[in-house]
Amino acid sequence: MEIGQKEHNLPLPPADKVLLQKQVQCKLDEIRQEAEEAYALDKEIARVPDSAYQDAFLLLEILFNYDVPTTDIGWLMDGGIGFEWRSTDSNKIATMSIYGDNQVVYGASLGSACKVKGTCLLTDLVSLARFLPTLKVLYS
């Protein structure tokens, strides 16, 4: 996963959803600024479309509603927004990527025996909900 120079740790989700939405929007605004600055310096980096930020906002709300642990988030050099979870022992990792096309690309490696990957619609909560427990495994 090629994430831009800075990654952001989102703070622990607050109980107040309005506050969460403001925090998420602030982080996405920071990521947008970084991605735009990088694109201005290097046109080989793909521009992150506005729809990717909208999809990322929706995905973060879904993660909050499913009580998924916080994540690192950053822009991707291929024009997306990436989410990454790592276990404390660093041999387990899960990622989700959003490109603004209402699709979520996800994957996880939980050791040599367990690998999961796929793509689903952002609005397909049934498929997405099957992957979300994997994210919780990283912290257990």
Side-chain angles (χ1 to χ4, degrees), residues 31-49:
I31 291 167
R32 181 188 304 261
Q33 182 176 349
E34 291 170 13
E36 286 297 319
E37 288 172 3
Y39 177 76
L41 294 172
D42 184 353
K43 298 297 189 216
E44 290 187 25
I45 295 172
R47 176 175 262 147
V48 179

Side-chain angles (χ1 to χ4, degrees), residues 27-84:
K27 288 295 179 192
L28 290 174
D29 289 346
E30 289 175 21
I31 291 167
R32 181 188 304 261
Q33 182 176 349
E34 291 170 13
E36 286 297 319
E37 288 172 3
Y39 177 76
L41 294 172
D42 184 353
K43 298 297 189 216
E44 290 187 25
I45 295 172
R47 176 175 262 147
V48 179
D50 289 338
S51 56
Y53 295 100
Q54 294 163 357
D55 286 358
F57 187 87
L58 180 56
L59 179 59
L60 286 165
E61 283 191 320
I62 292 168
L63 295 173
F64 174 74
N65 290 334
Y66 278 86
D67 197 31
V68 172
T70 58
T71 180
D72 291 332
I73 180 174
W75 58 274
L76 302 172
M77 296 179 77
D78 63 354
I81 297 176
F83 304 80
E84 185 176 287

